[in-house]
Amino acid sequence: MAPAGVVMGEHVLATYVVETAMPLERAAEVLAGEQSTGTFVRVERETDDLRARFAAQVESVVELERGDASALPGTVGDGERRRARLTLRFPLDNFGPSLPNLLAAVAGNLFELKEFAAIKLVDLDLPAAFGSRYAGPRFGVAGTRELMGRPDGAMIGTIVKPSIGLSPDDLASLVAELADAGVDFIKDDELQGNGPSAPLAERVRAVMPVLERHADRTGRKPMYAFNITDDIDRLEANHDLVVAAGGTCVMVVIPNVGLAGLEFLSRRTQVPIHGHRAGFGAISRSEQVGIGFRAWQQLARLSGADHLHTNGISNKFYETDAEVRGSIAAVRAPLLGLAPTVPVLSSGQWAGLAHATYAAVGTADLLVLAGGGIHGHPDGSAAGVASMRAAWDSALRGETVADALAASGELRRAVERFGPVRA
């Protein structure tokens, strides 16, 4: 009997980019067999009816131009390697609407098959059953905007810097400065978890009274994302600690707690979950092997990420601007009727990137995080926040960079430190 919400005959489409010395059609068949019925030859009891219902099928094979990367270790096969985009069709009957078991099929042993010199999962097309089982974001864009009191415009945020080393009292002082400057969002760094020098409970004790006093004065409480990443059996207690103190956001490092850990928290959360992707590069950076962001972000959104890091343009990491634009577009694309997740731009961001970013992505439904770009401003963190707000407001009004520079001394000073502005 099929699980609740599953329609017999539904399937998942998984798309890969591969290199192999085998004939491409044969390579696709090997991949499909390994990840479904699990054999490269017919065996006893493997009937035609069984294969028709449970064997993965080759949907398409499109040859691509060969790259110049070396083969993965252990690759075998004589002859010239060819590169292709393969799409396989996996019957949902094989695993049901379960993300951990889906991954066993579409991203399991296939990375170890010696016939493949390269293999990367780059996209997924999931049936409605996953949207029925997984609730996705509980707050998303609309809930986040409501809680932080920013109904429109870009959401401007920062990361606590230095990322580790500040005492809870020093952190409270910094938060007060940022709140008074009009910041929308502040987050712990992924390196700041629950260490003995600044435990989670002490950070909550120091930060939340500052934010509550600010809310009493102004009617608006900036959102602080406390990093509650921990063993799964600690996630709920860490979340409850934050919520009991009046906190409005928690953060987890998704690769560290896993999709199942994220979903466990999502089913219990009372506040938005800020999904950090630290460690994601280990499974995605190589073009030869791993899981691409377009595929992975669907799983993170289904598992409940209200915010999801996408990187930003002109970043300090490896992704090109085109790849970042694709990541932002992927997170904003509709997915099985789920609430929209907030794309989070970070890594080397500062006020001088606002006009170029808005021109590239065409939306203000973004959480733009600047760490050094705010705290490294020559006139201090408050001026850094002012420079970000001025630049983004100017971009959204359709003004030129020159207009923005003429109107904002904080932006001009930011250019002295970080410039030039990217038009």
Side-chain angles (χ1 to χ4, degrees), residues 24-351:
L24 294 178
E25 291 74 13
R26 174 58 182 153
E29 291 170 357
V30 167
L31 187 57
E34 173 66 26
Q35 295 306 121
S36 56
T37 53
T39 59
F40 62 94
V41 295
R42 285 289 188 114
V43 297
E44 188 178 1
R45 300 184 183 86
E46 188 178 357
T47 64
D48 289 342
D49 288 343
L50 184 148
R51 289 177 65 86
R53 179 174 175 185
F54 295 104
Q57 304 294 326
V58 178
E59 184 81 3
S60 64
V61 179
V62 178
E63 187 162 5
L64 305 173
E65 184 177 348
R66 230 322 276 291
D68 57 3
S70 300
L72 290 170
T75 301
V76 299
D78 298 325
E80 183 178 356
R81 300 200 310 269
R82 297 163 68 190
R83 189 166 180 258
R85 187 179 182 92
L86 310 179
T87 298
L88 304 184
R89 186 172 65 252
F90 291 88
L92 189 61
D93 287 355
N94 290 11
F95 38 77
S98 162
L99 293 181
N101 291 306
L102 166 71
L103 282 170
V106 302
N109 286 336
L110 56 91
F111 299 118
E112 301 176 52
L113 291 171
K114 60 187 178 183
E115 291 90 348
F116 291 91
I119 181 163
K120 187 166 185 176
L121 173 65
V122 296
D123 203 0
L124 289 168
D125 187 347
L126 302 173
F130 283 92
S132 297
R133 173 165 178 178
Y134 292 95
R138 306 283 175 163
F139 295 85
V141 174
T144 295
R145 284 191 176 280
E146 182 178 359
L147 283 169
M148 70 170 50
R150 178 62 61 184
D152 51 36
M155 293 169 272
I156 303 299
T158 189
I159 309 99
V160 173
K161 299 293 181 184
S163 55
I164 53 176
L166 288 183
S167 70
D169 289 342
D170 287 339
L171 174 60
S173 176
L174 174 60
V175 167
E177 180 183 355
L178 292 165
D180 289 342
V183 80
D184 297 317
F185 179 92
I186 310 165
K187 65 175 280 295
D188 285 336
D189 193 84
E190 70 274 13
L191 299 174
Q192 180 65 274
N194 198 18
S197 64
L200 173 64
E202 291 302 306
R203 299 201 308 279
V204 172
R205 176 198 59 77
V207 166
M208 288 315 304
V210 173
L211 295 180
E212 296 294 358
R213 288 193 295 269
H214 181 84
D216 290 341
R217 291 195 311 271
T218 67
R220 181 174 171 274
K221 183 162 70 174
M223 181 174 282
Y224 192 107
F226 291 96
N227 182 11
I228 66 168
T229 303
D230 211 326
D231 294 320
I232 291 178
D233 65 353
R234 292 296 308 158
L235 291 178
E236 187 172 11
N238 289 350
H239 162 276
D240 292 350
L241 171 69
V242 172
V243 171
T248 56
C249 191
V250 294
M251 169 181 139
V252 292
V253 181
I254 300 172
N256 294 358
V257 302
L259 295 170
L262 172 60
E263 202 274 333
F264 171 90
L265 176 63
S266 177
R267 282 187 277 114
R268 294 158 173 80
T269 192
Q270 299 176 48
V271 295
I273 299 173
H274 185 84
H276 203 293
R277 71 179 210 183
F280 175 68
I283 65 169
S284 185
R285 182 171 183 174
S286 172
E287 293 185 356
Q288 293 174 275
V289 67
I291 302 175
F293 185 81
R294 184 176 179 85
W296 181 83
Q297 58 87 24
Q298 296 182 50
L299 310 181
R301 291 162 64 191
L302 279 165
S303 298
D306 293 285
H307 313 157
L308 190 60
H309 281 240
T310 61
N311 211 341
I313 68 167
S314 295
N315 63 81
K316 64 185 180 183
F317 296 142
Y318 71 92
E319 289 172 300
T320 66
D321 286 353
E323 289 171 323
V324 170
R325 290 195 301 270
S327 294
I328 295 169
V331 170
R332 297 188 67 238
L335 177 63
L336 300 176
L338 302 181
T341 290
V342 180
V344 180
L345 281 58
S346 60
S347 171
Q349 302 302 288
W350 69 289

